[in-house]
Amino acid sequence: MTLAYEDVLARYEPVIGLETHVELSTVSKMFCGCSTEFGAEPNTQICPVCLGLPGALPVANEKAIESTIRIGLALNCSIAPWCRFARKNYFYPDMPKNFQTSQYDEPLCVEGYLDIELDGQTYRIGIERVHLEEDTGKNTHVGTSGRIHGADYSLVDYNRAGIPLVEIVTKPVPGTGTLAPEVARAYVTELRNILRTLGVSDVRMEQGSLRCDVNTSLNRPGDEWGTRTETKNVNSLRSVERAVRSEMIRQAGLLDAGDRIKQETRHFSETTGDTRPGRSKEEATDYRYFPEPDLVPLAPDAEWVEQLRKALPELPAARRVRIRETLGVSADDMQQMANAGVVDLVGATVDAGAPVAEARNWWLGYLAQEANKREVEPADLGVTPAHVARIVALVADGTLSSALGRQVVDVVLETGADVDAVVSEKGLQVVSDTGALGAAADEAIAANPDIAEKVRGGKVNAVGPLIGAVRKATGGQADAATARAILLEKLGVTEG
């Protein structure tokens, strides 16, 4: 029997940790000149270096090193004055060299933190390390399960092998209690916002450029931390939260039954919302790390690091403070916007010319609904603050009604087209032509004699269905105020 989440928290305390992998937006790979463009034909962006052919020598990508240092600085890390790469040895089809060039005991960035706000409380997430490595290739297991076990055959695409990859590893995070799943999601959300602000990655989780491994353990209050499991490659913010919750419930059930938790990797199912076993979890010794002999150590110049620190953009936390002061919104409004992930979007929409209230209403209303429906974050909808500001302006000058504005949004969501182009091509302007509306009003009155009689008798508010009929006849484009005035005039009613 599956435990209720509340029962889990009544007996156990969770400890979480997150390992986030970020593909950097460099033009070329980490140790060679191959393109990193997403979506190319399989195995067309490869060379002797990223395939690990004998005699091929790597050269480190300077831009990737710079981006990693900027990430470390944004996460309040110390930047190592000297570090080096190592070989992480393992045999798996996605790594043609049979080792991954990574960093082991001497990472580039260490001992940082990231503060997140959740339900009025601040949680400080310790950052253990930020290190630089290369990504692996992509396996496609063809068969009913989609996994290597039970697959009919497997295909390997090495285009991704060698793309610069930053791994950001938190320290264990205790003390989150019932909010552990939400804290995990909030951390990854804030981290993604920082990475996007830095411009170091497109952080598109659906394309694998941001992936998260979620570590979870349970212990009785006062006991030592329990054995952790690692749920691999969780690829959406919603799934990060669901994976923590699911694993807490699963582990509690085992502990209640007197079983032990295995230290293992697990895989999260988007369909069922639970995790499945992967493999026993390797320790560092299993990878037989040793210093990479073909690459010189890194020794970032202190003056260069300081220049990078001074050039950092305004980070999301500071931007939110500024936005609140600029917008003059209440703490409750700010919390609602933060919970919905639209603070920056509202601020940018205001910067693009929209009034605060309209910007807030669009992002917390129709656009938030569309994001929930599509199971994406509002920032990933494809509708930009500039789009929204233009729609707000067209509604304000009477070109669009609110309903027509939503129709424009729907088209922009599907096509990414310019707002004015959508309005023109789809003919979505408000109809205010009295001739066209007069004909539609005559038809509405003729089709609804009972309602027309009520309005003539003094029940002015009964005109609503007639207005609806006029709007329907004009494809929802009739200006409601003009239609109302025309209907009342034709019915011989004067409003006092």
Side-chain angles (χ1 to χ4, degrees):
M1 183 174 124
T2 303
L3 291 174
Y5 184 67
E6 293 73 19
D7 293 336
V8 175
L9 273 300
R11 295 190 291 279
Y12 299 100
E13 294 177 343
V15 178
I16 58 174
L18 297 113
E19 303 171 22
T20 308
H21 299 81
V22 184
E23 281 188 357
L24 298 179
S25 297
T26 54
V27 175
S28 58
K29 291 186 180 181
M30 184 63 225
F31 300 113
C32 67
C34 289
S35 172
T36 59
E37 184 178 355
F38 181 81
E41 287 295 312
N43 297 310
T44 58
Q45 297 173 172
I46 54 176
C47 73
V49 173
C50 54
L51 289 179
L53 298 184
L57 293 176
V59 177
N61 185 321
E62 181 182 0
K63 185 64 176 180
I65 295 168
E66 177 186 308
S67 295
T68 306
I69 292 173
R70 294 177 70 228
I71 293 170
L73 293 172
L75 296 175
N76 305 290
C77 290
S78 298
I79 309 303
W82 188 93
C83 63
R84 59 183 172 181
F85 289 102
R87 290 190 179 184
K88 180 181 181 180
N89 296 274
Y90 65 94
F91 177 76
Y92 202 67
D94 63 9
M95 209 63 245
K97 299 182 294 187
N98 291 336
F99 66 85
Q100 180 186 32
T101 305
S102 181
Q103 292 187 307
Y104 173 44
D105 55 345
E106 296 164 309
L108 186 51
C109 315
V110 295
E111 295 298 323
Y113 65 88
L114 176 59
D115 289 338
I116 61 168
E117 299 283 339
L118 187 65
D119 289 348
Q121 186 172 347
T122 300
Y123 294 87
R124 174 157 290 186
I125 311 299
I127 305 296
E128 181 176 299
R129 58 192 284 145
V130 178
H131 71 255
L132 184 57
E133 58 190 22
E134 59 181 337
D135 208 347
T136 59
K138 180 181 179 180
N139 293 323
T140 301
H141 305 299
V142 181
T144 55
S145 69
R147 295 175 57 189
I148 192 168
H149 298 293
D152 297 330
Y153 58 91
S154 296
L155 302 173
V156 188
D157 177 9
Y158 289 125
N159 283 352
R160 197 175 71 183
I163 286 181
L165 191 70
V166 167
E167 183 171 358
I168 302 165
V169 182
T170 74
K171 296 180 179 181
V173 185
T176 55
T178 187
L179 290 177
E182 289 85 353
V183 169
R185 176 174 180 159
Y187 163 78
V188 180
T189 301
E190 184 72 356
L191 180 60
R192 189 181 70 159
N193 289 340
I194 288 173
L195 297 167
R196 183 181 281 131
T197 298
L198 293 173
V200 296
S201 172
D202 62 16
V203 291
R204 299 190 66 170
M205 299 186 80
E206 74 280 5
Q207 291 185 359
S209 55
L210 178 65
R211 311 190 292 274
C212 191
D213 299 341
V214 181
N215 295 287
T216 312
S217 70
L218 293 179
N219 59 271
R220 297 275 187 181
D223 288 356
E224 293 183 359
W225 292 344
T227 301
R228 67 184 173 90
T229 60
E230 181 180 1
T231 306
K232 300 287 289 183
N233 292 330
V234 183
N235 62 4
S236 76
L237 297 176
R238 178 170 174 263
S239 294
V240 168
E241 180 177 340
R242 295 172 70 202
V244 173
R245 189 181 303 271
S246 171
E247 194 58 12
M248 287 172 63
I249 292 172
R250 185 191 72 85
Q251 290 186 23
L254 291 173
L255 293 172
D256 281 356
D259 294 332
R260 297 178 62 186
I261 305 299
K262 296 179 183 178
Q263 184 169 336
E264 62 184 356
T265 63
R266 298 185 67 85
H267 301 279
F268 179 74
S269 169
E270 296 282 351
T271 304
T272 63
D274 58 12
T275 65
R276 294 286 186 268
R279 53 179 166 75
S280 60
K281 177 62 178 167
E282 289 91 345
E283 300 293 344
T285 52
D286 296 319
Y287 291 117
R288 305 188 318 281
Y289 283 98
F290 65 86
E292 169 56 68
D294 291 336
L295 288 166
V296 298
L298 299 178
D301 179 71
E303 184 176 341
W304 178 50
V305 171
E306 192 57 32
Q307 289 174 354
L308 294 177
R309 186 194 307 276
K310 291 178 180 177
L312 288 177
E314 182 184 41
L315 296 176
R319 188 162 63 240
R320 285 194 295 271
V321 172
R322 177 180 60 79
I323 288 173
R324 181 180 174 186
E325 292 174 350
T326 302
L327 301 186
V329 298
S330 68
D332 287 344
D333 274 355
M334 198 67 183
Q335 188 62 57
Q336 285 185 47
M337 291 190 290
N339 291 344
V342 299
V343 173
D344 288 342
L345 296 169
V346 172
T349 305
V350 172
D351 289 344
V356 175
E358 292 299 321
R360 174 193 177 281
N361 290 344
W362 271 99
W363 286 109
L364 281 179
Y366 190 68
L367 292 169
Q369 293 169 17
E370 287 298 309
N372 288 336
K373 185 191 304 181
R374 296 161 188 258
E375 295 186 355
V376 299
E377 296 301 306
D380 297 329
L381 273 173
V383 173
T384 67
H387 285 138
V388 177
R390 182 57 182 154
I391 290 170
V392 168
L394 293 175
V395 172
D397 70 15
T399 301
L400 296 176
S401 64
S402 294
L404 289 173
R406 290 191 288 272
Q407 290 185 44
V408 173
V409 166
D410 292 341
V411 177
V412 173
L413 282 170
E414 298 302 325
T415 66
D418 176 74
V419 168
D420 290 287
V422 171
V423 172
S424 176
E425 291 171 10
K426 300 293 183 180
L428 293 177
Q429 298 94 332
V430 166
V431 175
S432 299
D433 176 62
T434 55
L437 293 182
D442 288 335
E443 292 177 6
I445 292 169
N448 299 277
D450 293 343
I451 296 175
E453 197 57 38
K454 288 181 182 179
V455 177
R456 289 191 185 98
K459 295 182 179 180
V460 177
N461 290 336
V463 77
L466 298 180
I467 297 173
V470 172
R471 298 194 71 240
K472 182 178 180 181
T474 58
Q477 294 176 240
D479 177 68
T482 304
R484 177 187 175 91
I486 290 173
L487 284 164
L488 293 179
E489 181 182 353
K490 287 181 175 293
L491 292 170
V493 175
T494 303
E495 289 192 276

